[in-house]
Amino acid sequence: QVQLVESGGGLVQAGDSLRVSCAASGRASSSSFMGWFRQAPGKEREFVAAISLFGNTYYGDSVKGRFIISRDNAKNTMYLQMNSLKPEDTAVYYCAATTAGRYYYSSREYDYWGQGTQVTVSS
């Protein structure tokens, strides 16, 4: 089975940068999509970014131009580089993977999820 473990979250100030990582095991390297979602208290889980098996990348409107998603298949690791962080980026960030999903932006398409890592951005 696929196992996903996030790391790298923390407390930063607005305007700072942070990189979170997702270490994967199992067959995650052959996933059709791997992605990042986030959820703040009282809000719906929001699509952040996704990357396909072929390296195509996709971003949610709220993070375009600020975040960069990448993957290193040799290390079975996915990264999310977050730049120009804003207080509204504060959330638990979840790593996810799907082996059969076709809609990268929908959380319902993902089969495997990590435990999440907290990112807090102060003003």
Side-chain angles (χ1 to χ4, degrees):
Q1 63 175 349
V2 174
Q3 300 273 42
L4 305 173
V5 180
E6 301 96 335
S7 63
L11 174 64
V12 298
Q13 295 185 22
D16 284 354
S17 296
L18 191 68
R19 188 178 74 166
V20 291
S21 302
C22 175
S25 62
R27 303 184 73 249
S29 62
S30 62
S31 298
S32 58
F33 293 101
M34 293 187 70
W36 291 94
F37 290 77
R38 67 187 184 186
Q39 188 165 24
K43 295 187 177 182
E44 297 291 316
R45 187 162 294 190
E46 177 187 18
F47 169 71
V48 176
I51 186 166
S52 76
L53 183 63
F54 310 105
N56 304 107
T57 58
Y58 311 88
Y59 298 93
D61 290 340
S62 63
V63 306
K64 285 181 179 178
R66 297 190 296 124
F67 291 9
I68 302 172
I69 189 171
S70 62
R71 64 191 296 177
D72 185 337
N73 289 333
K75 296 181 178 180
N76 280 334
T77 302
M78 179 176 65
Y79 306 94
L80 183 68
Q81 177 67 45
M82 301 179 287
N83 301 313
S84 301
L85 283 162
K86 306 174 181 179
E88 65 190 62
D89 295 317
T90 295
V92 176
Y93 283 71
Y94 296 93
C95 172
T98 176
T99 56
R102 294 181 294 277
Y103 307 107
Y104 59 85
Y105 51 82
S106 175
S107 62
R108 297 178 61 184
E109 297 293 320
Y110 289 80
D111 307 300
Y112 305 99
W113 295 85
Q115 294 178 272
T117 186
Q118 177 71 47
V119 174
T120 302
V121 185
S122 63
S123 301

